[in-house]
Amino acid sequence: MKTIKKIDVKSIALPARKRVAAYARVSMESDRLAHSLSTQISYYNDLIQNNPEWEFAGVYADSFISGTSVERRAEFKRMIKDCEDGKIDIILTKSISRFARNTVDLLNTVRRLKELGIEVQFEKERIRSLSGDGELMLTLLASFAQEESRSISENVKWGARKRFQKGIPHGRVRVFGYQWEGDHLVVIPHEAEIVKRIYQNYLDGKSRFETEREFASEGITTRNGCRWRDHSIKTVLTNITYTGNLLLQKEFTDDPITKKHIKNTGQLPQYFVENTHEPIIDMKTFRLVQNEMARRRELGPFANKSLNTTCFTRKLRCGKCGSSFIRCTRSTNAKYHSALHPINGYYRAWNCGRHHKNTSLCENNEIPEIILKKCCSEVLGLDEFDEQIFSKRIERIDVPYQGLLLFNFIEGGVISKEWHSTARTDCWTDELKAQQKKWLKDYRVKGVGPHSAFTTRIICGCCGDTVKRQAEHKSRKQLVFWRCRNSCGIRGIREEELKEISAGILGLEEFDSEAFMNRIDHITMVRSGLMEFTFKNGHTEQAEYCIKVRQPKWTDERRKAMSERLKQLKEAKKNGCK
């Protein structure tokens, strides 16, 4: 009898399709290059979708953006973000120069993608980034692309300088008060009136800040509808274009990779072209303004009428960073008025300019003005500080570090003077001590003041210090604790729980502040989890409170589960690559 065996059809596992994306870029705006970009996009769309082993993951295209930096290329950064999110396996691009013209950016990006297991294929150079010699070839060819960009930049700059020599500007820069009509600048009447007013205000003695505030109050704005700022007014005051002449090559780009603009202060020749357009300001007025700006620059802060200068202005110099000290005025509580506060409600001190902007920039701290005057009087041999004598004899004061002043005399010689801050001692007068004692007595007896009923009434049994109230913000919720600020090891207690325990000790259903202050003298935190209530009649009672111990985030169970999860991901990735 014949034996028949049934052979089942074996299921053949199809290989996973690669998710493929493409990147395209053009650097200049023109109809020809715009057509080139659209052609690149269409080409990659067809190429990827017609390959049965590939899955279309999109085409990323940056238009009219240079390849020397990735900062302004939004589509390029979006593509890298999708790669990091695991949406792309392969990136196609026309050439290395389309991908990046900066060698450092190119290699950093390719290496980052290599860590993610993503391959970049450069069609023109026939290079695959995951191949053995891929990075070596990329380094060499990327250097050529970068140098090509540098060469193009030099050619462009050469052409611009040739145009400058003929009196032709490079591009059409926007100038407030003018508009371009063809190759000529034409005056805009209402903007020209604002320019004339800016110049007149400055010659009348007004500062740029005064003009800024004046325009803001009258609603006068820039062409874009923005508020006039100090730097914008300065640009108008220093722009020789308003005299009807052009000054070409006022700034230049030193490095085509970084594209950083540098002000031309003599590094390259400049070209002055006369009578190119209608003037708004005559040359005499322009020169008067430049001379006035130079005079005010020489005077420094003394030229600005809005600044409250003193005899110490520009006299104090930081020995660490070289910055000048500036005067700082802070308001204080009137009840703390003392010899340290010569004006009721205000505290004046001199701070290093860099330290005032950011304390991490310089270590030199403030010098109270009253102490500064006292040191000056002692160095000059005066009973009282005299501004005129100080200005005539002292050239400057150097501050090498906090606590030392070096007085440099105009006639020559240096005297060092040490000083120590007595701010706390000077503020804590006998009058304030009496006020504090009275407040504490009234508070302990009557509860006068905005403080909590527990304030000054909870004592740490370990160090004897007063337990303080602390607030924490967790999950959009404010939690209040009472803790010892010293490292005693005694755990704090939440205010809600403290109120519940206090109400139970007093035999009340709810916590009552007045009843607590009338009957309880103080609470002692004996150890973590145990408190002792001392009544005013001498009676004591102990109560335990809950100590919340934080559970470790990584338990053995979580570690084991995560280990299994990582193993599964590795297996899945390995199977997907086969």
Side-chain angles (χ1 to χ4, degrees), residues 146-182:
Q146 181 171 311
E147 287 306 311
E148 183 187 6
S149 177
R150 196 181 300 275
S151 175
I152 292 171
S153 175
E154 290 299 325
N155 292 337
V156 171
K157 286 192 284 188
W158 181 86
R161 287 166 189 162
K162 287 298 179 182
R163 286 193 292 274
F164 289 156
Q165 292 174 6
K166 296 177 181 179
I168 303 172
H170 181 63
R172 299 179 179 180
V173 181
R174 291 181 63 187
V175 182
F176 184 83
Y178 290 101
Q179 64 181 359
W180 286 93
E181 289 186 2

mmCIF file of all heavy atoms in Angstrom, residues 146-182:
data_model
loop_
_atom_site.group_PDB
_atom_site.id
_atom_site.type_symbol
_atom_site.label_atom_id
_atom_site.label_comp_id
_atom_site.label_asym_id
_atom_site.label_seq_id
_atom_site.Cartn_x
_atom_site.Cartn_y
_atom_site.Cartn_z
ATOM 1 N N GLN A 146 34.451 72.070 2.045
ATOM 2 C CA GLN A 146 34.598 73.251 2.883
ATOM 3 C C GLN A 146 35.500 74.279 2.203
ATOM 4 O O GLN A 146 35.201 75.479 2.197
ATOM 5 C CB GLN A 146 35.182 72.860 4.244
ATOM 6 C CG GLN A 146 35.357 74.034 5.198
ATOM 7 C CD GLN A 146 35.727 73.575 6.598
ATOM 8 O OE1 GLN A 146 35.097 72.696 7.152
ATOM 9 N NE2 GLN A 146 36.762 74.176 7.166
ATOM 10 N N GLU A 147 36.580 73.822 1.621
ATOM 11 C CA GLU A 147 37.476 74.727 0.922
ATOM 12 C C GLU A 147 36.818 75.310 -0.324
ATOM 13 O O GLU A 147 37.093 76.454 -0.715
ATOM 14 C CB GLU A 147 38.774 74.001 0.546
ATOM 15 C CG GLU A 147 39.679 73.726 1.723
ATOM 16 C CD GLU A 147 39.984 74.990 2.519
ATOM 17 O OE1 GLU A 147 40.355 76.012 1.904
ATOM 18 O OE2 GLU A 147 39.828 74.962 3.756
ATOM 19 N N GLU A 148 35.946 74.534 -0.957
ATOM 20 C CA GLU A 148 35.203 75.058 -2.098
ATOM 21 C C GLU A 148 34.310 76.210 -1.661
ATOM 22 O O GLU A 148 34.213 77.233 -2.355
ATOM 23 C CB GLU A 148 34.369 73.947 -2.733
ATOM 24 C CG GLU A 148 33.609 74.406 -3.974
ATOM 25 C CD GLU A 148 32.656 73.329 -4.493
ATOM 26 O OE1 GLU A 148 32.511 72.281 -3.834
ATOM 27 O OE2 GLU A 148 32.075 73.560 -5.556
ATOM 28 N N SER A 149 33.656 76.038 -0.507
ATOM 29 C CA SER A 149 32.819 77.102 0.026
ATOM 30 C C SER A 149 33.657 78.343 0.337
ATOM 31 O O SER A 149 33.249 79.471 0.071
ATOM 32 C CB SER A 149 32.108 76.622 1.293
ATOM 33 O OG SER A 149 31.352 77.656 1.865
ATOM 34 N N ARG A 150 34.855 78.114 0.898
ATOM 35 C CA ARG A 150 35.749 79.232 1.202
ATOM 36 C C ARG A 150 36.181 79.941 -0.098
ATOM 37 O O ARG A 150 36.263 81.176 -0.143
ATOM 38 C CB ARG A 150 36.962 78.716 1.968
ATOM 39 C CG ARG A 150 37.770 79.796 2.669
ATOM 40 C CD ARG A 150 38.970 79.183 3.378
ATOM 41 N NE ARG A 150 38.560 78.225 4.375
ATOM 42 C CZ ARG A 150 38.221 78.543 5.616
ATOM 43 N NH1 ARG A 150 38.236 79.809 5.983
ATOM 44 N NH2 ARG A 150 37.877 77.604 6.472
ATOM 45 N N SER A 151 36.449 79.156 -1.131
ATOM 46 C CA SER A 151 36.860 79.736 -2.413
ATOM 47 C C SER A 151 35.737 80.563 -3.029
ATOM 48 O O SER A 151 35.971 81.667 -3.540
ATOM 49 C CB SER A 151 37.278 78.615 -3.367
ATOM 50 O OG SER A 151 37.580 79.125 -4.644
ATOM 51 N N ILE A 152 34.508 80.039 -2.954
ATOM 52 C CA ILE A 152 33.356 80.790 -3.479
ATOM 53 C C ILE A 152 33.192 82.101 -2.712
ATOM 54 O O ILE A 152 32.930 83.158 -3.300
ATOM 55 C CB ILE A 152 32.077 79.930 -3.368
ATOM 56 C CG1 ILE A 152 32.157 78.728 -4.318
ATOM 57 C CG2 ILE A 152 30.836 80.767 -3.665
ATOM 58 C CD1 ILE A 152 31.039 77.722 -4.120
ATOM 59 N N SER A 153 33.389 82.030 -1.391
ATOM 60 C CA SER A 153 33.265 83.239 -0.570
ATOM 61 C C SER A 153 34.314 84.271 -0.961
ATOM 62 O O SER A 153 34.018 85.475 -1.063
ATOM 63 C CB SER A 153 33.413 82.879 0.908
ATOM 64 O OG SER A 153 33.418 84.036 1.715
ATOM 65 N N GLU A 154 35.549 83.832 -1.195
ATOM 66 C CA GLU A 154 36.606 84.761 -1.598
ATOM 67 C C GLU A 154 36.288 85.397 -2.944
ATOM 68 O O GLU A 154 36.543 86.593 -3.158
ATOM 69 C CB GLU A 154 37.949 84.024 -1.660
ATOM 70 C CG GLU A 154 38.500 83.609 -0.311
ATOM 71 C CD GLU A 154 38.765 84.790 0.590
ATOM 72 O OE1 GLU A 154 39.167 85.864 0.073
ATOM 73 O OE2 GLU A 154 38.549 84.666 1.819
ATOM 74 N N ASN A 155 35.716 84.616 -3.867
ATOM 75 C CA ASN A 155 35.335 85.166 -5.175
ATOM 76 C C ASN A 155 34.247 86.222 -5.031
ATOM 77 O O ASN A 155 34.270 87.258 -5.712
ATOM 78 C CB ASN A 155 34.869 84.051 -6.108
ATOM 79 C CG ASN A 155 35.999 83.113 -6.498
ATOM 80 O OD1 ASN A 155 37.165 83.490 -6.450
ATOM 81 N ND2 ASN A 155 35.656 81.890 -6.879
ATOM 82 N N VAL A 156 33.267 85.928 -4.158
ATOM 83 C CA VAL A 156 32.179 86.891 -3.928
ATOM 84 C C VAL A 156 32.733 88.178 -3.320
ATOM 85 O O VAL A 156 32.359 89.294 -3.724
ATOM 86 C CB VAL A 156 31.095 86.265 -3.020
ATOM 87 C CG1 VAL A 156 30.074 87.318 -2.594
ATOM 88 C CG2 VAL A 156 30.393 85.117 -3.736
ATOM 89 N N LYS A 157 33.647 88.047 -2.345
ATOM 90 C CA LYS A 157 34.228 89.230 -1.706
ATOM 91 C C LYS A 157 35.081 90.023 -2.701
ATOM 92 O O LYS A 157 35.083 91.264 -2.675
ATOM 93 C CB LYS A 157 35.067 88.811 -0.495
ATOM 94 C CG LYS A 157 34.231 88.392 0.705
ATOM 95 C CD LYS A 157 35.041 88.262 1.978
ATOM 96 C CE LYS A 157 35.854 87.010 1.999
ATOM 97 N NZ LYS A 157 36.499 86.792 3.327
ATOM 98 N N TRP A 158 35.781 89.324 -3.584
ATOM 99 C CA TRP A 158 36.573 90.011 -4.600
ATOM 100 C C TRP A 158 35.670 90.836 -5.513
ATOM 101 O O TRP A 158 35.968 91.998 -5.831
ATOM 102 C CB TRP A 158 37.361 88.992 -5.415
ATOM 103 C CG TRP A 158 38.222 89.596 -6.477
ATOM 104 C CD1 TRP A 158 39.491 90.057 -6.331
ATOM 105 C CD2 TRP A 158 37.848 89.807 -7.844
ATOM 106 N NE1 TRP A 158 39.962 90.549 -7.534
ATOM 107 C CE2 TRP A 158 38.974 90.414 -8.487
ATOM 108 C CE3 TRP A 158 36.711 89.558 -8.590
ATOM 109 C CZ2 TRP A 158 38.953 90.764 -9.832
ATOM 110 C CZ3 TRP A 158 36.700 89.907 -9.934
ATOM 111 C CH2 TRP A 158 37.799 90.498 -10.546
ATOM 112 N N GLY A 159 34.542 90.235 -5.915
ATOM 113 C CA GLY A 159 33.606 90.957 -6.766
ATOM 114 C C GLY A 159 32.998 92.158 -6.060
ATOM 115 O O GLY A 159 32.814 93.225 -6.657
ATOM 116 N N ALA A 160 32.700 91.998 -4.746
ATOM 117 C CA ALA A 160 32.126 93.107 -3.978
ATOM 118 C C ALA A 160 33.113 94.264 -3.878
ATOM 119 O O ALA A 160 32.733 95.440 -4.007
ATOM 120 C CB ALA A 160 31.730 92.627 -2.592
ATOM 121 N N ARG A 161 34.386 93.955 -3.635
ATOM 122 C CA ARG A 161 35.399 95.017 -3.527
ATOM 123 C C ARG A 161 35.606 95.734 -4.853
ATOM 124 O O ARG A 161 35.866 96.950 -4.873
ATOM 125 C CB ARG A 161 36.713 94.418 -3.023
ATOM 126 C CG ARG A 161 36.655 94.056 -1.543
ATOM 127 C CD ARG A 161 37.794 93.171 -1.122
ATOM 128 N NE ARG A 161 37.577 92.682 0.250
ATOM 129 C CZ ARG A 161 38.198 91.632 0.770
ATOM 130 N NH1 ARG A 161 39.084 90.953 0.038
ATOM 131 N NH2 ARG A 161 37.951 91.262 2.018
ATOM 132 N N LYS A 162 35.526 95.000 -5.958
ATOM 133 C CA LYS A 162 35.624 95.645 -7.266
ATOM 134 C C LYS A 162 34.468 96.622 -7.480
ATOM 135 O O LYS A 162 34.644 97.709 -8.044
ATOM 136 C CB LYS A 162 35.641 94.584 -8.375
ATOM 137 C CG LYS A 162 36.940 93.796 -8.470
ATOM 138 C CD LYS A 162 38.110 94.705 -8.807
ATOM 139 C CE LYS A 162 39.415 93.933 -8.893
ATOM 140 N NZ LYS A 162 40.556 94.829 -9.180
ATOM 141 N N ARG A 163 33.271 96.232 -7.013
ATOM 142 C CA ARG A 163 32.119 97.141 -7.121
ATOM 143 C C ARG A 163 32.300 98.341 -6.202
ATOM 144 O O ARG A 163 31.905 99.462 -6.552
ATOM 145 C CB ARG A 163 30.825 96.385 -6.790
ATOM 146 C CG ARG A 163 30.372 95.442 -7.894
ATOM 147 C CD ARG A 163 28.952 94.958 -7.655
ATOM 148 N NE ARG A 163 28.885 94.090 -6.485
ATOM 149 C CZ ARG A 163 29.103 92.791 -6.499
ATOM 150 N NH1 ARG A 163 29.425 92.197 -7.642
ATOM 151 N NH2 ARG A 163 29.008 92.072 -5.396
ATOM 152 N N PHE A 164 32.887 98.119 -4.999
ATOM 153 C CA PHE A 164 33.146 99.237 -4.085
ATOM 154 C C PHE A 164 34.079 100.260 -4.732
ATOM 155 O O PHE A 164 33.891 101.475 -4.585
ATOM 156 C CB PHE A 164 33.781 98.733 -2.787
ATOM 157 C CG PHE A 164 32.839 97.947 -1.900
ATOM 158 C CD1 PHE A 164 33.333 97.031 -0.986
ATOM 159 C CD2 PHE A 164 31.471 98.139 -1.980
ATOM 160 C CE1 PHE A 164 32.485 96.311 -0.167
ATOM 161 C CE2 PHE A 164 30.605 97.421 -1.166
ATOM 162 C CZ PHE A 164 31.116 96.503 -0.271
ATOM 163 N N GLN A 165 35.092 99.774 -5.444
ATOM 164 C CA GLN A 165 36.035 100.677 -6.098
ATOM 165 C C GLN A 165 35.362 101.537 -7.163
ATOM 166 O O GLN A 165 35.805 102.650 -7.460
ATOM 167 C CB GLN A 165 37.167 99.871 -6.723
ATOM 168 C CG GLN A 165 38.077 99.186 -5.707
ATOM 169 C CD GLN A 165 39.100 98.275 -6.353
ATOM 170 O OE1 GLN A 165 39.226 98.227 -7.576
ATOM 171 N NE2 GLN A 165 39.828 97.527 -5.523
ATOM 172 N N LYS A 166 34.266 101.040 -7.720
ATOM 173 C CA LYS A 166 33.508 101.799 -8.721
ATOM 174 C C LYS A 166 32.392 102.620 -8.075
ATOM 175 O O LYS A 166 31.623 103.282 -8.785
ATOM 176 C CB LYS A 166 32.903 100.850 -9.746
ATOM 177 C CG LYS A 166 33.948 100.086 -10.561
ATOM 178 C CD LYS A 166 33.282 99.110 -11.520
ATOM 179 C CE LYS A 166 34.312 98.321 -12.322
ATOM 180 N NZ LYS A 166 33.671 97.344 -13.244
ATOM 181 N N GLY A 167 32.283 102.536 -6.724
ATOM 182 C CA GLY A 167 31.250 103.286 -6.029
ATOM 183 C C GLY A 167 29.892 102.629 -6.033
ATOM 184 O O GLY A 167 28.873 103.292 -5.802
ATOM 185 N N ILE A 168 29.837 101.331 -6.298
ATOM 186 C CA ILE A 168 28.573 100.588 -6.345
ATOM 187 C C ILE A 168 28.425 99.803 -5.038
ATOM 188 O O ILE A 168 29.303 99.002 -4.694
ATOM 189 C CB ILE A 168 28.544 99.620 -7.538
ATOM 190 C CG1 ILE A 168 28.778 100.381 -8.840
ATOM 191 C CG2 ILE A 168 27.217 98.855 -7.574
ATOM 192 C CD1 ILE A 168 28.946 99.478 -10.043
ATOM 193 N N PRO A 169 27.337 100.006 -4.282
ATOM 194 C CA PRO A 169 27.155 99.264 -3.015
ATOM 195 C C PRO A 169 26.883 97.788 -3.267
ATOM 196 O O PRO A 169 26.362 97.411 -4.321
ATOM 197 C CB PRO A 169 25.958 99.948 -2.359
ATOM 198 C CG PRO A 169 25.209 100.578 -3.485
ATOM 199 C CD PRO A 169 26.236 100.952 -4.525
ATOM 200 N N HIS A 170 27.262 96.973 -2.312
ATOM 201 C CA HIS A 170 27.033 95.530 -2.407
ATOM 202 C C HIS A 170 25.685 95.218 -1.753
ATOM 203 O O HIS A 170 25.582 95.096 -0.527
ATOM 204 C CB HIS A 170 28.161 94.776 -1.700
ATOM 205 C CG HIS A 170 28.026 93.283 -1.764
ATOM 206 N ND1 HIS A 170 28.050 92.576 -2.952
ATOM 207 C CD2 HIS A 170 27.834 92.363 -0.777
ATOM 208 C CE1 HIS A 170 27.900 91.285 -2.699
ATOM 209 N NE2 HIS A 170 27.767 91.131 -1.396
ATOM 210 N N GLY A 171 24.647 95.096 -2.529
ATOM 211 C CA GLY A 171 23.317 94.835 -1.998
ATOM 212 C C GLY A 171 22.591 96.127 -1.647
ATOM 213 O O GLY A 171 23.134 97.230 -1.763
ATOM 214 N N ARG A 172 21.371 95.978 -1.211
ATOM 215 C CA ARG A 172 20.522 97.128 -0.878
ATOM 216 C C ARG A 172 20.140 97.044 0.593
ATOM 217 O O ARG A 172 19.123 96.444 0.965
ATOM 218 C CB ARG A 172 19.270 97.156 -1.762
ATOM 219 C CG ARG A 172 19.609 97.287 -3.247
ATOM 220 C CD ARG A 172 18.360 97.286 -4.103
ATOM 221 N NE ARG A 172 18.681 97.443 -5.530
ATOM 222 C CZ ARG A 172 17.775 97.482 -6.484
ATOM 223 N NH1 ARG A 172 16.484 97.361 -6.187
ATOM 224 N NH2 ARG A 172 18.137 97.636 -7.753
ATOM 225 N N VAL A 173 20.975 97.635 1.412
ATOM 226 C CA VAL A 173 20.745 97.609 2.861
ATOM 227 C C VAL A 173 19.630 98.583 3.218
ATOM 228 O O VAL A 173 19.599 99.731 2.725
ATOM 229 C CB VAL A 173 22.038 97.970 3.614
ATOM 230 C CG1 VAL A 173 21.811 97.922 5.121
ATOM 231 C CG2 VAL A 173 23.167 97.018 3.218
ATOM 232 N N ARG A 174 18.736 98.153 4.093
ATOM 233 C CA ARG A 174 17.630 99.021 4.524
ATOM 234 C C ARG A 174 18.172 100.147 5.392
ATOM 235 O O ARG A 174 18.946 99.932 6.315
ATOM 236 C CB ARG A 174 16.598 98.223 5.306
ATOM 237 C CG ARG A 174 15.813 97.240 4.477
ATOM 238 C CD ARG A 174 14.797 96.510 5.340
ATOM 239 N NE ARG A 174 13.815 97.415 5.901
ATOM 240 C CZ ARG A 174 12.902 97.046 6.802
ATOM 241 N NH1 ARG A 174 12.858 95.811 7.239
ATOM 242 N NH2 ARG A 174 12.037 97.903 7.263
ATOM 243 N N VAL A 175 17.755 101.375 5.082
ATOM 244 C CA VAL A 175 18.155 102.548 5.859
ATOM 245 C C VAL A 175 16.888 103.305 6.229
ATOM 246 O O VAL A 175 16.113 103.693 5.351
ATOM 247 C CB VAL A 175 19.114 103.461 5.056
ATOM 248 C CG1 VAL A 175 19.550 104.644 5.911
ATOM 249 C CG2 VAL A 175 20.327 102.672 4.577
ATOM 250 N N PHE A 176 16.664 103.512 7.544
ATOM 251 C CA PHE A 176 15.487 104.257 7.983
ATOM 252 C C PHE A 176 15.560 105.677 7.433
ATOM 253 O O PHE A 176 16.580 106.363 7.546
ATOM 254 C CB PHE A 176 15.424 104.291 9.514
ATOM 255 C CG PHE A 176 14.186 104.949 10.050
ATOM 256 C CD1 PHE A 176 13.003 104.233 10.166
ATOM 257 C CD2 PHE A 176 14.200 106.279 10.424
ATOM 258 C CE1 PHE A 176 11.861 104.848 10.655
ATOM 259 C CE2 PHE A 176 13.072 106.902 10.918
ATOM 260 C CZ PHE A 176 11.896 106.184 11.033
ATOM 261 N N GLY A 177 14.463 106.122 6.813
ATOM 262 C CA GLY A 177 14.419 107.451 6.198
ATOM 263 C C GLY A 177 14.525 107.412 4.689
ATOM 264 O O GLY A 177 14.245 108.406 4.019
ATOM 265 N N TYR A 178 14.958 106.226 4.157
ATOM 266 C CA TYR A 178 15.112 106.074 2.703
ATOM 267 C C TYR A 178 14.432 104.797 2.239
ATOM 268 O O TYR A 178 14.182 103.878 3.024
ATOM 269 C CB TYR A 178 16.595 106.004 2.315
ATOM 270 C CG TYR A 178 17.358 107.296 2.465
ATOM 271 C CD1 TYR A 178 18.187 107.493 3.572
ATOM 272 C CD2 TYR A 178 17.278 108.303 1.511
ATOM 273 C CE1 TYR A 178 18.920 108.665 3.717
ATOM 274 C CE2 TYR A 178 18.006 109.477 1.644
ATOM 275 C CZ TYR A 178 18.825 109.654 2.748
ATOM 276 O OH TYR A 178 19.542 110.807 2.886
ATOM 277 N N GLN A 179 14.167 104.742 0.937
ATOM 278 C CA GLN A 179 13.730 103.518 0.287
ATOM 279 C C GLN A 179 14.430 103.413 -1.067
ATOM 280 O O GLN A 179 14.782 104.427 -1.679
ATOM 281 C CB GLN A 179 12.210 103.489 0.100
ATOM 282 C CG GLN A 179 11.661 104.558 -0.818
ATOM 283 C CD GLN A 179 10.151 104.493 -0.936
ATOM 284 O OE1 GLN A 179 9.514 103.632 -0.335
ATOM 285 N NE2 GLN A 179 9.577 105.404 -1.713
ATOM 286 N N TRP A 180 14.650 102.176 -1.484
ATOM 287 C CA TRP A 180 15.337 101.953 -2.760
ATOM 288 C C TRP A 180 14.337 101.997 -3.905
ATOM 289 O O TRP A 180 13.312 101.333 -3.887
ATOM 290 C CB TRP A 180 16.045 100.605 -2.755
ATOM 291 C CG TRP A 180 17.281 100.566 -1.919
ATOM 292 C CD1 TRP A 180 17.382 100.180 -0.611
ATOM 293 C CD2 TRP A 180 18.585 100.952 -2.324
ATOM 294 N NE1 TRP A 180 18.674 100.296 -0.177
ATOM 295 C CE2 TRP A 180 19.451 100.765 -1.219
ATOM 296 C CE3 TRP A 180 19.136 101.432 -3.516
ATOM 297 C CZ2 TRP A 180 20.799 101.044 -1.272
ATOM 298 C CZ3 TRP A 180 20.490 101.700 -3.572
ATOM 299 C CH2 TRP A 180 21.314 101.520 -2.459
ATOM 300 N N GLU A 181 14.659 102.818 -4.894
ATOM 301 C CA GLU A 181 13.914 102.837 -6.154
ATOM 302 C C GLU A 181 14.932 102.608 -7.262
ATOM 303 O O GLU A 181 15.685 103.514 -7.634
ATOM 304 C CB GLU A 181 13.195 104.173 -6.349
ATOM 305 C CG GLU A 181 12.028 104.362 -5.401
ATOM 306 C CD GLU A 181 11.236 105.617 -5.702
ATOM 307 O OE1 GLU A 181 11.584 106.312 -6.693
ATOM 308 O OE2 GLU A 181 10.276 105.896 -4.963
ATOM 309 N N GLY A 182 14.976 101.366 -7.740
ATOM 310 C CA GLY A 182 16.030 100.988 -8.679
ATOM 311 C C GLY A 182 17.355 100.915 -7.943
ATOM 312 O O GLY A 182 17.482 100.222 -6.930
#
